[in-house]
Amino acid sequence: MIETPPLVDQYCHGVLRTELGLGTFEAQLIRSAGPPAAGTTFFDTQTGFAVRRWCPPLLGLEPHAAPARYLARRRELGAAESARRLLRGSGVAAYLVDTGVSGDVTGPKELALAGDAEAFESVRLELLAEQVADTSGTVSAFLANLAEAVHHAAAGAAAFTCAAAFEGAGAAAFVPDPPGPGEVRGAAGRWLAGRPRGGAVRDPVLLRHLLWSAVSSGLPLQLHTGAADPAPLTEFVRATAGLGARLVLIGGYPHHRHTAQLAAAFPHVYADAGAALGQTGARAAAVLAELLELAPFGKVLFSSGGRQLPELHAVGALVFREALGRVLGGWVAEGSWSWRDADRVAGLVAAGNARRVYRLDGPDGP
């Protein structure tokens, strides 16, 4: 058996506090632009099957329980007790929580209490800018307040995170140099003038400014690529080399090999194993093996990518453990690795790399 320490879930969100029926539960199970195919549900996915495999035993049911039976048990226990059992059964010792999501979800402290774990905040850059804009009357005030907000956040958070840059602006946000003061001021003026209260940041110049502000802070920066090829990040990655910033690439599946290549090529870049493992379920070992084909073992970090449903946190962790054991154990069984090396690498990917990258044990930690 591969020995792994308690996990560090280096990227997730809080969980919903509300009770959920079948329809509302399924709506959170996978991200989809429409309903499931006729005669099916979103449980008919690798994610859905993984939930049915791993979560029922944590709530006192047999594995592979039918969705209706599982959700009835969930309602019987209540949302808070179900979340507590699911989170504590996942073997996670620390969470890095992206707080930039809307809805009635738990914050880091509440997630930590439910999961009997530590929790640290990952500050969403675009949300920070939107919050500052809501309380700043002029362009000058906005830019001054934004600089102060980034500085203040860097003092208390474990990381910055940004999804809008890649998903909203694409390559335009990753021009390999920071925008000049005049560019930033002009972009801020245009955005503030045309923005409804609460409007999202999509301007590529403002997003570039946010990214470079985060790089300058010294905190790790989590960059989301979603399901897209991370290749457009290459010049930005090259430009930030040697500046002291650590970049963690979140997502990328099915382009995870390209993410692994960037982690191999640049010392400050790390690859997230991420939500792809829970999403691929029974095929998770194959995905993880492909990531480990290319990325140095000290550059791969576990995360569940869990959001809204505590089931996704639990599945991410439990599928990861099984996949890691299957991959590394297979290499030991065929004589390619020793058990000692397999246990050491498992410890790095499961927790050690994240503790080092995010300095979770303090500036003098591992």
Side-chain angles (χ1 to χ4, degrees):
M1 290 285 293
I2 299 297
E3 296 292 332
T4 59
L7 304 177
V8 173
D9 188 345
Q10 67 99 29
Y11 183 78
C12 67
H13 301 284
V15 301
L16 288 167
R17 300 185 180 96
T18 52
E19 301 286 353
L20 299 173
L22 177 60
T24 49
F25 185 94
E26 280 194 62
Q28 305 297 337
L29 193 58
I30 69 168
R31 294 178 179 177
S32 176
T40 71
T41 75
F42 285 136
F43 273 100
D44 294 320
T45 59
Q46 287 284 10
T47 301
F49 274 40
V51 166
R52 291 178 53 216
R53 160 63 182 90
W54 293 104
C55 295
L58 299 180
L59 302 189
L61 298 175
E62 71 283 358
H64 310 294
R69 176 169 167 75
Y70 176 76
L71 292 176
R73 176 59 174 164
R74 200 181 192 276
R75 289 192 297 274
E76 178 186 331
L77 291 170
E81 177 62 14
S82 296
R84 190 187 71 83
R85 293 190 184 196
L86 290 162
L87 294 172
R88 295 189 181 198
S90 66
V92 172
Y95 297 97
L96 271 77
V97 185
D98 177 353
T99 54
V101 294
S102 59
D104 185 20
V105 298
T106 56
K109 290 183 180 179
E110 195 175 349
L111 189 70
L113 183 63
D116 190 25
E118 295 181 281
F120 305 86
E121 185 177 9
S122 183
V123 173
R124 182 71 72 104
L125 285 168
E126 54 268 42
L127 179 63
L128 192 67
E130 291 153 19
Q131 291 170 337
V132 169
D134 286 340
T135 58
S136 300
T138 66
V139 171
S140 295
F142 168 71
L143 294 176
N145 292 341
L146 181 60
E148 177 60 26
V150 170
H151 177 76
H152 183 266
F160 285 111
T161 188
C162 186
F166 199 91
E167 296 172 4
F174 294 99
V175 174
D177 54 83
E183 285 184 273
V184 174
R185 189 174 184 84
R190 292 189 299 273
W191 179 58
L192 292 173
R195 168 185 181 267
R197 188 173 180 84
V201 178
R202 290 294 182 267
D203 185 278
V205 174
L206 275 184
L207 290 168
R208 278 172 61 204
H209 178 61
L210 287 170
L211 292 174
W212 282 96
S213 297
V215 167
S216 299
S217 76
L219 283 189
L221 173 58
Q222 300 171 331
L223 294 173
H224 297 250
T225 61
D229 190 332
L233 295 174
T234 304
E235 292 308 311
F236 176 79
V237 166
R238 183 173 287 112
T240 56
L243 299 181
R246 289 145 287 164
L247 307 181
V248 183
L249 305 187
I250 305 288
Y253 180 80
H255 304 283
H256 50 292
R257 290 189 183 210
H258 293 177
T259 301
Q261 286 176 322
L262 286 171
F266 295 96
H268 65 307
V269 176
Y270 297 81
D272 172 49
L277 301 186
Q279 291 165 1
T280 52
R283 290 289 295 165
V287 175
L288 183 60
E290 290 175 344
L291 194 62
L292 293 174
E293 285 176 7
L294 294 169
F297 307 133
K299 307 293 286 298
V300 179
L301 286 70
F302 158 73
S303 81
S304 69
R307 64 189 190 281
Q308 314 284 31
L309 300 179
E311 282 82 358
L312 298 179
H313 296 71
V315 161
L318 296 171
V319 167
F320 164 76
R321 282 187 183 276
E322 187 198 45
L324 190 66
R326 193 184 303 176
V327 171
L328 301 190
W331 293 342
V332 171
E334 68 186 23
S336 298
W337 284 35
S338 70
W339 281 113
R340 179 178 298 178
D341 284 337
D343 286 341
R344 184 172 60 85
V345 170
L348 290 174
V349 178
N353 292 336
R355 290 194 174 277
R356 183 182 70 253
V357 169
Y358 297 106
R359 297 174 180 169
L360 300 186
D361 299 309
D364 299 320

